Each structure stands twice: as C-alpha cells, then as structure tokens.
C-alpha cells in the first residue's frame, strides 16, 4: 500500500504536466477526466488512519511518513477521547508534532536501522488525556539546560523552542509535563485536562 502511494505521488508530476498542456489547449473535458482518474487512483490506495480525530490523525500521519522514509519503526497506540471540550485540538496537535519531530530526528541518528524506533501513545485517563512519545537515541547525545531544565537542541541556539513550547502548553492548561530516559529510550509524558 505504501509503495503504491509513493508511485502515485511520483506519477502526479506527470499528471500535472498533462493538465497544464490540456489547459493551454483549452481542453477542459480532458482535464476533468484526468482529475477524475487521479481521484479514483488515490481513493483506491487508502492511507493508514491512526485515529478518528482529523487534526490529530493528520499530525501523526506527517511524522509516520517521515519516520518510514528514514527506516524508523513507528508504533502507535492512539485512543483520542470522544469528548474534548477543554482540549484545543490545534494546540494539542502542535504539541504532538513538536514531540514527533524531535523523536524522528533523534531516532534517525541511531546508526543501526533495526534500533530506530518512535512510539506515540494517546489515551484518555478519567477526565484527562495522556500523551506519551518515546524514541531511541544515540547514547549521551542530549544535554539538559541549566537555565530551563529542558533538553537542549543539538542543532544550535536557533532551535530548541519545541520543548519550551510543550512546557508552556502544559503550564497554560495546568498539565503535568515530564521527560526521562527509560530502557534506552527518551520519553516525554504530558497529562492534561480534556
């Protein structure tokens, strides 16, 4: 399925050229046929769905694809709660994306492909939601800021705002934010009200 999707994405550049040519020639009926065929082709290759929440599903899908491109195993256990009155799903998705971006970047640096792993868990716990992201990493590759108490970015001082953003989100919603190293994995947990 993934390979079929990649082939379709690859072939799309040729379809766009055909559409451009038809547009230049004023052949709108041909454009309509090409678009219908493209829609049908993409529908036939269904994308993996991680949860019913469209915003969170889209956020996870982006990093699932990035992980796969870098030969990183990507495990999910996502059970988004049905009712989320107190949860701003766009802010929550930003937190999810920040964590997954860090996790994929870190796991990609692990030398042995078989040891590259990113895991995400989202599940309701009473009136709260637990978000946990863990990843393998190169041992001794992260440092903790003496000022913020947060992990520092290896990419320099212009980076590293993701963890600050996640901490700010936790503070804003009176959530619990913690990180640790467990069983050779860097793990971040966030618990907040839904």
């Amino acid at each position: 399925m993934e390979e079929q999707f990649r082939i379709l994405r690859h072939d799309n550049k040729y379809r766009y050229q055909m559409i451009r040519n038809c547009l230049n020639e004023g052949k709108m009926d041909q454009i309509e046929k090409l678009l219908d065929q493209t829609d049908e082709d993409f529908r036939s290759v269904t994308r993996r769905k991680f949860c019913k929440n469209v915003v969170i599903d889209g956020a996870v899908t982006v990093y699932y694809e990035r992980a796969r491109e870098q030969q990183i195993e990507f495990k999910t256990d996502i059970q988004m709660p049905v009712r989320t009155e107190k949860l701003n799903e766009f802010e929550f998705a930003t937190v999810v994306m920040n964590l997954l971006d860090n996790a994929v970047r870190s796991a990609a640096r692990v030398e042995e492909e078989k040891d590259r792993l990113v895991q995400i868990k989202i599940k309701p716990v009473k009136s709260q939601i637990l978000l946990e992201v863990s990843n393998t990493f190169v041992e001794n590759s992260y440092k903790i800021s003496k000022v913020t108490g947060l992990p520092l970015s290896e990419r320099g001082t212009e980076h590293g705002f993701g963890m600050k953003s996640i901490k700010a989100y936790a503070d804003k919603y009176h959530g619990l934010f913690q990180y640790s190293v467990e069983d050779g994995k860097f793990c971040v947990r966030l618990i907040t009200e839904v």
Side-chain angles (χ1 to χ4, degrees):
M1 176 170 56
E2 269 184 61
E3 188 169 333
Q4 290 172 314
F5 191 72
R6 286 186 186 149
I7 290 169
L8 282 174
R9 276 196 323 209
H10 173 269
D11 289 351
N12 258 352
K13 64 184 173 187
Y14 302 114
R15 291 180 190 205
Y16 290 132
Q17 288 173 349
M18 287 185 265
I19 289 171
R20 174 75 54 203
N21 291 339
C22 289
L23 187 61
N24 290 338
E25 297 293 321
K27 300 198 180 225
M28 298 309 228
D29 58 327
Q30 290 298 99
I31 292 173
E32 190 172 354
K33 285 180 185 175
L34 272 167
L35 291 174
D36 287 344
Q37 182 63 51
T38 301
D39 285 346
E40 186 179 315
D41 290 348
F42 273 99
R43 268 188 247 116
S44 70
V45 180
T46 55
R47 179 179 72 76
R48 183 169 178 187
K49 208 130 168 73
F50 296 100
C51 67
K52 292 180 181 177
N53 181 297
V54 176
V55 176
I56 302 304
D57 186 66
V60 173
T61 298
V62 167
Y63 288 96
Y64 169 78
E65 290 295 328
R66 288 187 186 171
R68 303 292 289 176
E69 288 168 4
Q70 297 182 60
Q71 291 74 49
I72 299 169
E73 184 179 2
F74 194 92
K75 293 183 177 180
T76 63
D77 179 7
I78 301 176
Q79 305 159 34
M80 278 298 292
V82 176
R83 299 184 59 122
T84 59
E85 290 90 16
K86 294 180 184 176
L87 182 73
N88 179 320
E89 64 186 17
F90 297 104
E91 285 181 309
F92 189 72
T94 301
V95 169
V96 167
M97 293 178 84
N98 267 316
L99 288 172
L100 288 176
D101 184 55
N102 290 346
V104 168
R105 285 177 188 276
S106 183
R109 289 193 291 272
V110 173
E111 191 172 330
E112 293 288 328
E113 285 181 15
K114 67 178 179 57
D115 296 331
R116 296 176 186 169
L117 173 65
V118 170
Q119 296 173 290
I120 179 170
K121 179 191 295 186
I122 302 174
K123 68 178 193 174
V125 180
K126 297 184 182 177
S127 65
Q128 299 176 318
I129 189 166
L130 164 71
L131 166 62
E132 183 177 288
V133 174
S134 62
N135 59 274
T136 53
F137 66 100
V138 175
E139 196 172 330
N140 301 320
S141 65
Y142 76 94
K143 296 181 174 117
I144 304 300
S145 167
K146 292 178 182 173
V147 176
T148 65
L150 298 172
L152 293 169
S153 173
E154 295 177 342
R155 297 184 294 154
T157 57
E158 296 300 312
H159 300 279
F161 294 100
M163 291 298 270
K164 290 177 186 172
S165 173
I166 295 161
K167 174 82 169 85
Y169 174 88
D171 291 345
K172 178 179 177 179
Y173 292 104
H174 310 289
L176 171 68
F177 167 73
Q178 64 185 71
Y179 62 89
S180 60
V181 174
E182 301 169 7
D183 301 321
K185 293 185 210 105
F186 185 80
C187 181
V188 177
R189 283 185 196 86
L190 176 70
I191 300 174
T192 189
E193 294 291 320
V194 291

